[in-house]
Amino acid sequence: MPSSFEGVPFTVQPALVVDLDGTLIHTDMLHESALQLLREHPLQTLQIPGWLRRGKATLKERLAERTRLDPRTLPYNQPLIEWLKTQRAEGRTLVLCTASDQRIARQVADHLGIFDDVIASDGHDNLAGTRKAAALVERYGDRGFDYAGNSSTDLYVWRHARQAIVVDGSPKLADQAAAVTEVARVFPARPQGFNAWRRVLRMHQWMKNILLFVPLLAAHDLTNLHAWGLLAVAFASFSLCASSVYIANDLLDLESDRLHPRKRKRPFASGLVPAWKGVLLAPVLLGVSLTLAWQVGTPFLSWLLLYFSLTCVYSWRLKRLLLIDCLTLAMLYTLRIVAGAAAIGQSLSFWLLAFSIFLFLSLAFVKRYAELRLHRKGTGSLHGRGYHSDDAPIIQMMGIVAGYAAVLVLALYVNSDAIMAMYEHPKLVWGAVPVVLFWVSWVWMRAHRGEMHDDPVVFAIKDRTSLATGAIFALVLAMGTGVLGHMPW
């Protein structure tokens, strides 16, 4: 619409309408609301089919009423927001138009403070596709607005828009938009690729499942090829089961992860991978895991099911309980050793179980202490956990005590009658005690300096000093068994 100011002609730009889900934010609020309801009010999720029968608009309204949204934590599309700010500075009217419920849309708009108007679903009309297009044409006229969207359903709107802004869409979507209107700008999608899915599965965490092999090593039965084969399948089963739990945990802990300086970069928290893909992938991984476990044997399958159940309870509730969370983590680590023994029919000694529970309790306290170190002092509770920022010193003390208790158990084992039957040179095994004592002290010193990864087992696998300590520990045990003396050097 041509106009003028002091004799200088200019053109008033049409309203710039912006979609919310997948465009302004790298996520879908329908999925996020459903996951939040599952986490906070799991029984109410049984009402979702009834709400859906009344229409998607009703479903979205009910979810918005029963969940809380913190718009500060959402994964916003920052390049798009910066561009919108420049458009607003040039005098354009910005409108947030979304199929999400109006409660959610207004909270997001109020938080950003750049939108002049909000159009959203209201419990009766689901403002998506053709309905969104009709609402915009009624308000602004055909070709009387520009529209920023991200999916094929936005093609209905782009057919009536003056210009299209394609956000996080595929090249095919951009071509489809260009076929119905002029494409003014394209904001390319972030690539997912193997690295994103590796992080979804948390494949680096699979290294924890090496603990399954501990019973075989402790029994000095290294030449048992059948046992190695069973444990290899058990390792795959445990890893896939753990990945399914990690996915479920990430989906249920989105808000807490987004407040964490590192976890906010996880694929689901950052919106790099849509939440619905995780919802579909988790049960598939669990199904494959249980199939493999059945091949290993019923005892192993039983322990795997216990591990899965305990991790689910941990994700839903126990991780938010003071101290119970760390005790549960210690049990989950120890369960890997127990499951490994069940896979090969090996009995576990009291000494190994006692040593494991104390050592893993210490590592669980390291994990929580590292999180508290990252949490600013004096800012209250650690989100999603039962700890306060000033709990770090007592957590540190309890963790060090637990670690040294593990060393004490090892020292008592070395001095027991059981070691005489296991080692040809039992006195040499005493060398393992100062090695473990050093490593426990080393881990806590690194944690105290703020240099600890929030998962100490992953830290140990990557830390050169920890790897060297592990090699020395293995060498000491090999010398104690007399294996080195029988080698044909």
Side-chain angles (χ1 to χ4, degrees), residues 30 133 155 218 242 324 335 350-352 399 422:
L30 174 60
L155 289 169
I324 298 297
L335 271 177
F350 159 80
W351 298 108
L352 179 58
M422 296 292 297

Side-chain angles (χ1 to χ4, degrees), residues 63-345:
L63 288 173
E65 289 173 349
R66 287 161 173 78
T67 56
R68 53 177 176 75
L69 169 68
D70 185 353
R72 299 171 300 171
T73 65
L74 293 176
Y76 290 98
N77 189 326
Q78 291 300 332
L80 174 63
I81 289 178
E82 293 304 316
W83 180 72
L84 291 176
K85 288 180 178 178
T86 62
Q87 295 297 301
R88 180 178 174 81
E90 293 174 3
R92 294 196 73 174
T93 298
L94 301 186
V95 179
L96 181 62
C97 185
T98 174
S100 287
D101 188 75
Q102 57 186 350
R103 291 173 179 79
I104 293 175
R106 293 193 182 282
Q107 289 183 67
V108 172
D110 291 343
H111 169 67
L112 293 177
I114 60 175
F115 291 101
D116 300 289
D117 198 4
V118 174
I119 308 172
S121 299
D122 58 3
H124 301 285
D125 293 323
N126 183 44
L127 209 67
T130 56
R131 290 188 177 183
K132 180 184 286 189
L136 292 175
V137 169
E138 181 181 357
R139 177 172 295 202
Y140 301 108
D142 195 48
R143 304 292 175 178
F145 61 94
D146 296 343
Y147 180 73
N150 72 295
S151 69
S152 57
T153 57
D154 292 317
L155 289 169
Y156 295 106
V157 182
W158 280 326
R159 286 191 179 97
H160 301 278
R162 188 197 65 150
Q163 291 182 336
I165 296 90
V166 182
V167 183
D168 281 1
S170 64
K172 179 181 178 181
L173 180 64
D175 292 339
Q176 291 174 329
V180 297
T181 190
E182 177 188 356
V183 175
R185 183 155 184 166
V186 174
F187 290 85
R190 297 174 298 172
Q192 291 183 356
F194 173 76
N195 185 55
W197 288 105
R198 175 186 62 80
R199 292 164 57 203
V200 165
L201 299 175
R202 293 204 216 172
M203 295 176 66
H204 63 285
Q205 299 280 12
W206 290 3
M207 299 302 295
K208 296 178 183 178
N209 299 323
I210 292 177
L211 293 171
L212 291 164
F213 294 87
V214 168
L216 184 64
L217 301 177
H220 303 168
D221 195 16
L222 303 184
T223 59
N224 190 336
L225 297 181
H226 178 65
W228 280 105
L230 286 175
L231 288 175
V233 178
F235 177 88
S237 174
F238 232 88
S239 297
L240 294 178
C241 179
S243 289
S244 70
V245 175
Y246 289 141
I247 291 173
N249 180 71
D250 288 350
L251 292 175
L252 294 173
D253 217 19
L254 289 173
E255 188 175 351
S256 294
D257 284 351
R258 288 166 181 161
L259 294 173
H260 192 281
R262 284 197 297 267
K263 293 180 181 179
R264 61 185 176 85
K265 298 179 182 179
R266 286 176 174 174
F268 293 122
S270 65
L272 180 61
V273 176
W276 66 266
K277 292 185 177 181
V279 172
L280 295 179
L281 180 60
V284 172
L285 294 176
L286 179 61
V288 176
S289 170
L290 295 178
T291 301
L292 293 175
W294 180 261
Q295 301 301 315
V296 175
T298 303
F300 173 76
L301 175 61
S302 300
W303 285 110
L304 180 69
L305 289 173
L306 177 60
Y307 168 84
F308 174 76
S309 301
L310 188 57
T311 49
C312 288
V313 177
Y314 173 81
S315 297
W316 257 291
R317 181 60 180 166
L318 297 183
K319 68 190 299 182
R320 294 170 175 80
L321 300 181
L322 180 70
L323 299 181
I324 298 297
D325 61 335
C326 291
L327 290 169
T328 305
L329 285 175
M331 291 175 62
L332 290 173
Y333 281 123
T334 306
L335 271 177
R336 288 174 166 90
I337 297 177
V338 176
I344 59 176

